Amino acid sequence: NAGVTQTPKFQVLKTGQSMTLQCAQDMNHNSMYWYRQDPGMGLRLIYYSASEGTTDKGEVPNGYNVSRLNKREFSLRLESAAPSQTSVYFCASNLWTGDLTPLHFGNGTRLTVT
Amino acid sequence: QKEVEQNSGPLSVPEGAIASLNCTYSDRVSQSFFWYRQYSGKSPELIMSIYSNGDKEDGRFTAQLNKASQYVSLLIRDSQPSDSATYLCAVNREGSSYKLIFGSGTRLLVRP
């Protein structure tokens, strides 16, 4: 059971470069999320997709874009990376049943922007 | 005021003791509450979920929710060195149930 798969696991970018973080889940979940985690800050929600075809901003969306490609896949794009975007990025998914069910997390992408 | 507050720790307890982790939240109408465990360099994993006032037990773990006082706690009985990790409290935000807000976590150290 793969669960939530993120790629890549590590990435180093120079300021101004762009990249896309990929996320796929095989649990037939309808909702997917992108979080970033910085030391002492906990997890902060960047964007989420309640269902296929919809996306919404979270707490810290500036500098990011997302695409819900299909039910399984939710990508996060950095158009022009900045050192402030150095962080660990987690993708998560859950099944929305009318109550908020627990999130299942991927293994994370460690991004460094120099 | 942060939406979800936790003491950053570290909370140090001897092996076999009860570890008590606390979390307060600011949104009075939050409905869903979760405790996640995160080992260093790993992703968060769910320990407990609780939706109603009172206690919920699962093995060595007990979650306690008091909506009137806006706090949720996690008790770990018979603490083991393998319980040493950061524990994250998460609460949904009113009006947007999809948005799960995390505290910054409490680091727990269980001394052998």
Side-chain angles (χ1 to χ4, degrees), chain A residues 31 33 35 37 40-43 45 48 50 57-59 90 94 96 99-108 110, chain B residues 2-3 32 34 36 38 41-46 49 51 88 91-93 96-105:
Chain A
S31 300
Y33 309 78
Y35 284 87
Q37 187 173 34
M41 299 290 289
L43 288 152
L45 182 63
Y48 67 98
K57 295 178 180 179
E59 303 169 82
F90 289 101
N94 70 345
W96 175 251
D99 287 318
L100 185 62
T101 59
L103 301 182
H104 297 256
F105 286 88
N107 288 332
R110 283 147 184 82
Chain B
K2 287 185 181 178
E3 291 191 67
S32 306
F34 305 92
Y36 285 83
Q38 187 175 27
K42 301 296 185 183
S43 57
E45 55 180 334
L46 181 72
S49 58
Y51 302 92
L88 302 169
V91 177
N92 80 308
R93 179 187 281 172
S96 182
S97 297
Y98 294 97
K99 293 185 180 179
L100 196 60
I101 306 300
F102 284 81
S104 56

Side-chain angles (χ1 to χ4, degrees), chain A residues 29-50:
Chain A
H29 286 168
N30 48 2
S31 300
M32 299 184 73
Y33 309 78
W34 278 104
Y35 284 87
R36 60 177 288 174
Q37 187 173 34
D38 302 299
M41 299 290 289
L43 288 152
R44 291 183 292 169
L45 182 63
I46 305 171
Y47 270 94
Y48 67 98
S49 171

Side-chain angles (χ1 to χ4, degrees), chain A residues 75-110:
Chain A
S75 63
L76 178 72
R77 182 160 179 85
L78 287 70
E79 291 290 352
S80 180
S84 60
Q85 294 178 305
T86 293
S87 189
V88 180
Y89 291 85
F90 289 101
C91 177
S93 69
N94 70 345
L95 184 65
W96 175 251
T97 63
D99 287 318
L100 185 62
T101 59
L103 301 182
H104 297 256
F105 286 88
N107 288 332
T109 296
R110 283 147 184 82

